[in-house]
Amino acid sequence: MMAAWVQRGFGGPDVVSREEVRVPVPASDEVLIRVAACALNRLDLLQRESALVGGFRLPHIAGMDIAGIVVASGGVEGESLLGQSVVLDPVVTCGACAWCARDLPGFCPTLRTIGSSRDGGFADYVTAPVRNCHLYDAESLSAVDMASVPVASVTAWRGLLGAGKLEPGETVVIPGAGSGLGTAGIQIARARGARVIALASGSDKCMRARELGADVAIDRSAGDWVGAARAETSDLGADLVWDHVGGAFLQQAIDACAIGGRVVMSGTTAGNDSTIRNTSIFHYGRTLIGHGGYTRHDMQATIEAYLCGKLRAVIDSVWDVTALPDAMARLESGNFFGKIVIRSV
Ligand SMILES: [Zn+2]
């Protein structure tokens, strides 16, 4: 048996409780991982309130960003991983369909995501296919740092480089600078050689965004961020605006964009419906770009960027797994900078 945080209904914190459940058994192409650390994501909160991802079912164990040690293998394929430290790509696919063959795992008909549509890392153990395991050197990198990497960083990587095709010397606007997406995005854009205008709420987060490498940090709570961003570009607008917010933010992103510039649409945290002025696109020759699903190549490249030190983990706080409700409350408060991570005790 093992301890796990099990969700048995929808609603507030009390629908999740710490229980004794059976240790999962890995399939023949899977391994069993003892969870060392697991980072929180907003989807963990959202799915506590309602099922959002196809395939979600109760009871559910959340936690998508997992680092740990391989302790058992379901077949010969995983035996070489025994005893190794791994960080998991949470997207589990068949590996054989036409979409998998095109490296578009997000469209695989059997897609399941560890921690959102199959059991995740808020538990002592989790199973994952061998091909979802990425090795890291536990001597030089901590499980907490590695657990902070996959979901947010690959989303930023995909949004800025894959979909946005950010080029050196371009100016990019990155909202939500204190979120996992923001802290990863600022670093990825800087490493690409772009000029970064970060958006954050409050002077403290703005200061930390600048410390992380943002050239400019605009306090969204101070009012007209579009005007402030345009002023920072001599009123030319940004070459790329990364909209991982959605809702009413989309029109603001378009308005902050240069003539001929691009807006990448990567998220809907502020709502799935946006109203935009058509002229703000066609008159100015701007382009709206859909984020799409990340590829396995995106994930590999993102993790390698951390392994070689090109990017670094930004950790808001670390909590013992027994304090998961407190960690979730911090996520819900919005009062954090970087990833919130739980570690096993
Ligand atoms: Zn497939």
Side-chain angles (χ1 to χ4, degrees), residues 201-271:
S201 294
S203 57
D204 182 55
K205 286 186 179 179
C206 285
M207 182 187 71
R208 297 187 69 175
R210 282 190 291 269
E211 287 171 357
L212 196 55
D215 298 278
V216 176
I218 294 171
D219 185 354
R220 271 189 75 184
S221 60
D224 175 24
W225 76 262
V226 175
R230 293 195 65 90
E232 290 291 344
T233 58
S234 305
D235 204 33
L236 293 173
D239 300 295
L240 179 68
V241 182
W242 182 34
D243 176 10
H244 61 76
V245 181
F249 187 88
L250 178 59
Q251 182 65 65
Q252 297 166 20
I254 294 166
D255 291 339
C257 199
I259 295 169
R262 292 108 61 207
V263 175
V264 172
M265 299 165 66
S266 285
T268 57
T269 49

Side-chain angles (χ1 to χ4, degrees), residues 92-101 104-105 107-111 131:
V92 177
T93 60
C94 75
C97 71
W99 302 112
C100 286
L104 294 169
F107 301 94
C108 175
T110 67
L111 170 73
R131 66 176 178 279

Side-chain angles (χ1 to χ4, degrees), residues 74-127:
V76 291
E77 192 187 351
E79 284 177 359
S80 65
L81 293 178
L82 288 171
Q84 302 276 1
S85 293
V86 294
V87 58
L88 301 184
D89 175 354
V91 170
V92 177
T93 60
C94 75
C97 71
W99 302 112
C100 286
R102 293 177 198 178
D103 196 13
L104 294 169
F107 301 94
C108 175
T110 67
L111 170 73
R112 288 287 182 274
T113 305
I114 296 170
S116 79
S117 51
R118 60 182 264 172
D119 285 343
F122 296 153
D124 291 341
Y125 297 93
V126 67
T127 57

